[in-house]
Amino acid sequence: MGYDIHITRKASWSDKDGPTLTLEEWLDYISRDEEMRADGFAEAATPNGETIRIDNPGIVVWISYSGHGVDGNMAWFCHFEDRITVKNPDSETMRKIHKIASSLRARVQGDEGE
């Protein structure tokens, strides 16, 4: 499963109502950030060699991440509903998350609301 970190404008990322972060805003931000690339999909190999693919126009990869491509590692950021979500970020990715949130006038929250 993993643990998600969210970039949101809501008091709590799981709230139904509140200010949203639109896909258009996200893609506009990405168009100005040379460290990011909008792929619109994420692919990964499972331990048994199968490939899992998720298609979503809001999926972006951080190409300047130090672990980019190492052993299939990618730092994906995904626009989902009204927020940006990153699964299991390390400290380097957390710094990038905070930078993005600041640019988007949003907050960073974990799954538990911290």
Side-chain angles (χ1 to χ4, degrees):
M1 287 278 302
Y3 194 78
D4 293 338
I5 297 295
H6 310 275
I7 300 172
T8 183
R9 290 190 176 131
K10 295 180 178 180
S12 175
W13 69 268
S14 61
D15 289 347
K16 291 283 184 193
D17 298 316
T20 63
L21 233 166
T22 68
L23 176 60
E24 291 75 22
E25 287 177 285
W26 175 232
L27 294 178
D28 181 59
Y29 170 84
I30 295 308
S31 72
R32 296 184 316 272
D33 187 336
E34 295 178 357
E35 295 183 348
M36 307 291 279
R37 183 182 70 217
D39 285 351
F41 72 93
E43 259 183 14
T46 65
N48 63 1
E50 294 179 48
T51 300
I52 296 174
R53 179 181 171 116
I54 298 171
D55 291 290
N56 173 326
I59 293 178
V60 171
V61 64
W62 181 23
I63 57 176
S64 295
Y65 175 53
S66 67
H68 181 75
V70 177
D71 296 325
N73 193 14
M74 305 288 266
W76 282 301
F77 291 63
C78 182
H79 181 273
F80 180 72
E81 294 178 352
D82 56 9
R83 64 189 175 275
I84 311 305
T85 301
V86 180
K87 185 166 289 301
N88 300 324
D90 59 14
S91 60
E92 179 185 4
T93 307
M94 284 299 296
R95 287 189 297 277
K96 182 66 173 176
I97 289 168
H98 282 279
K99 182 178 177 184
I100 291 170
S102 177
S103 292
L104 293 172
R105 296 173 322 280
R107 67 180 72 220
V108 176
Q109 285 188 335
D111 275 343
E112 302 299 321
E114 75 287 358

